[in-house]
Amino acid sequence: MFKDKLVSYSGVQPSGNLTIGNYLGAIKNFSAYSDKYMCFYCVVDEHAITVRQVPADLRRRTYETLALYIACGLDPEKNTLYVQSHVHEHAELAWILNCFTGFGELSRMTQFKDKSAKHADNVNAGLFTYPTLMASDILLYQTDVVPIGVDQKQHVELTRNIAERFNQLYPDTFTMPEPIIAKSGKKIMSLADPTKKMSKSDENTNAVVYILDDKDTVIRKFKRAVTDSDTCVRFADGKDGINNLMTIYSCFTGKEFDEIEREFEGKGYGDFKLAVGETCADALAPVRAKFDELLKDKAYLEEVMKNGAETASYVARRTLSKVQKKLGFVQIGR
Ligand code: TYM
């Protein structure tokens, strides 16, 4: 076993501008593992092409997603930051895992059902087998923990089922990964329809706060957020809009809901929305500044990608060759 530390692994698709959902549900939580774990955080460009991408946009967003990882506090010296397509073992293990995954299991995946409804003109096989590529990402690194938002939980559960099935046939192959889902921030909702997840692919840009939105834009979007006809800031059933804003405020300030309720007692929604907008914009300002600086230095970002790919490939190669040996593929020691 290559491991002398536990492993944390996660990924983000460079398929759109990243949102505060991606930040609060996932990226912000990645750095919690940097000191004690061996951390791999991937820009999953191969996952992104299950939906048609404009090549120039995909390329730009790949740099941007890597830059955002760093701007959000992930030090490339302490975390392996890399791009999925730079490590060919992902696609190779995914093929193998496809042969250990049921058609029925994949058909039950909520994300597949949602995306195939949304992109009915392009329900490709990659969209269907997306979860086995994700299982491959996770299992290649003998991952212990996978910090994710709640929407990815089903995929990690499938990964566990595949790993268990494989380990039963070929003992001691894969580490069993645990999904780590933040208590608060696991599902940030759309500002326009708070019953729907905030998503980077939402066409209504007012529904989504992007990590890179400037202060005025962030405040304007929160001011317009859909709430309800009540006036009292409290967390309760049926108050999806306010519940979402309270969750966002709580994630950025660390305050509990009862504390927030006390803070805004006797104040209206207008004051509350302004406070959420200002807090969010101020928290993201240093991320934006660091991002702008990083994006000017492509050579540095490419250096991070190269170093990351080298470390990731080393680990991935070891797991893949272990799997290939167990399956009976002939090894010719090249
Ligand atoms: P993606 O790119 O859709 O999202 C990246 C991460 O952000 C989380 N997230 C949210 N969390 C809270 N509220 C939201 N509104 C919200 N929107 C997104 C997601 O849960 C995710 O953690 N399949 C994955 C990428 C992936 C991956 C992996 C993740 C590929 N391989 C291996 C973990 C491990 C995806 O599409 O994430």
Side-chain angles (χ1 to χ4, degrees):
M1 187 66 76
F2 71 88
K3 295 204 308 192
D4 53 3
K5 278 183 177 178
L6 294 176
V7 172
S8 171
Y9 188 96
S10 200
V12 175
Q13 291 192 62
S15 54
N17 295 328
L18 301 196
T19 73
I20 57 165
N22 299 125
Y23 180 68
L24 299 175
I27 304 173
K28 182 171 170 271
N29 310 320
F30 293 173
S31 46
Y33 301 92
S34 295
D35 288 326
K36 294 211 176 108
Y37 286 59
M38 196 170 169
C39 295
F40 297 88
Y41 299 120
C42 185
V43 181
V44 292
D45 54 349
E46 290 173 330
H47 276 96
I49 62 160
T50 52
V51 171
R52 290 280 171 268
Q53 301 290 335
V54 175
D57 290 349
L58 180 62
R59 199 170 297 120
R60 176 177 50 79
R61 289 196 188 117
T62 301
Y63 282 99
E64 288 177 357
T65 306
L66 183 81
L68 264 180
Y69 274 168
I70 303 170
C72 289
L74 293 174
D75 177 352
E77 301 293 324
K78 290 188 180 171
N79 303 270
T80 298
L81 308 179
Y82 74 104
V83 176
Q84 189 181 32
S85 62
H86 295 164
V87 181
H88 59 79
E89 284 81 1
H90 287 250
E92 287 180 66
L93 182 63
W95 170 253
I96 294 171
L97 298 182
N98 271 332
C99 303
F100 292 84
T101 308
F103 183 87
E105 283 177 307
L106 292 174
S107 311
R108 284 192 290 278
M109 293 293 113
T110 314
Q111 187 169 302
F112 170 68
K113 289 193 240 173
D114 290 350
K115 284 205 176 170
S116 45
K118 199 166 160 204
H119 303 277
D121 56 336
N122 182 21
V123 185
N124 59 72
L127 197 60
F128 188 63
T129 59
Y130 179 111
T132 53
L133 179 58
M134 183 161 157
S136 156
D137 301 339
I138 296 168
L139 298 178
L140 268 178
Y141 298 89
Q142 304 293 354
T143 299
D144 296 279
V145 297
V146 189
I148 41 164
V150 77
D151 62 315
Q152 294 301 318
K153 187 167 175 242
Q154 195 185 31
H155 289 159
V156 181
E157 278 163 0
L158 177 67
T159 302
R160 288 170 58 87
N161 292 341
I162 297 171
E164 193 173 68
R165 185 172 306 142
F166 201 94
N167 282 349
Q168 260 167 20
L169 290 164
Y170 310 100
D172 300 324
T173 307
F174 296 124
T175 300
M176 197 57 76
E178 283 291 337
I180 304 283
I181 297 164
K183 190 173 131 259
S184 197
K186 60 180 181 282
K187 191 171 186 188
I188 300 299
M189 310 306 274
S190 150
L191 297 189
D193 176 358
T195 61
K196 242 178 63 184
K197 187 190 80 159
M198 184 181 284
S199 163
K200 53 174 127 67
S201 57
D202 199 321
E203 275 155 23
N204 177 3
T205 54
N206 284 321
V208 181
V209 178
Y210 300 106
I211 301 178
L212 297 173
D213 275 344
D214 62 41
K215 184 163 184 169
D216 289 348
T217 309
V218 173
I219 292 175
R220 179 177 49 76
K221 287 181 176 177
F222 277 111
K223 273 190 183 160
R224 285 199 193 164
V226 168
T227 48
D228 53 62
S229 55
D230 189 12
T231 50
C232 180
V233 176
R234 66 193 165 89
F235 197 94
D237 281 349
K239 288 171 69 73
D240 298 325
I242 286 295
N243 295 350
N244 188 37
L245 297 184
M246 286 179 74
T247 302
I248 294 170
Y249 192 62
S250 165
C251 287
F252 281 117
T253 59
K255 292 177 185 168
E256 301 290 341
F257 290 148
D258 54 354
E259 216 177 329
I260 300 172
E261 288 172 355
R262 279 197 304 276
E263 185 179 345
F264 290 94
E265 215 174 298
K267 295 185 185 155
Y269 284 175
D271 288 338
F272 178 52
K273 286 177 173 182
L274 182 64
V276 182
E278 282 183 336
T279 306
C280 172
D282 291 346
L284 294 176
V287 174
R288 270 198 310 274
K290 179 84 185 158
F291 173 86
D292 290 342
E293 190 191 307
L294 285 162
L295 220 62
K296 286 185 204 137
D297 195 350
K298 272 201 165 173
Y300 170 70
L301 294 175
E302 283 167 6
E303 188 64 24
V304 172
M305 284 182 196
K306 267 192 209 154
N307 292 338
E310 209 171 293
T311 308
S313 296
Y314 174 76
V315 177
R317 227 179 2 249
R318 292 187 66 157
T319 301
L320 182 66
S321 79
K322 178 176 171 186
V323 168
Q324 289 174 328
K325 262 188 230 154
K326 292 205 178 221
L327 286 169
F329 291 178
V330 173
Q331 312 280 300
I332 52 170
R334 281 181 300 160

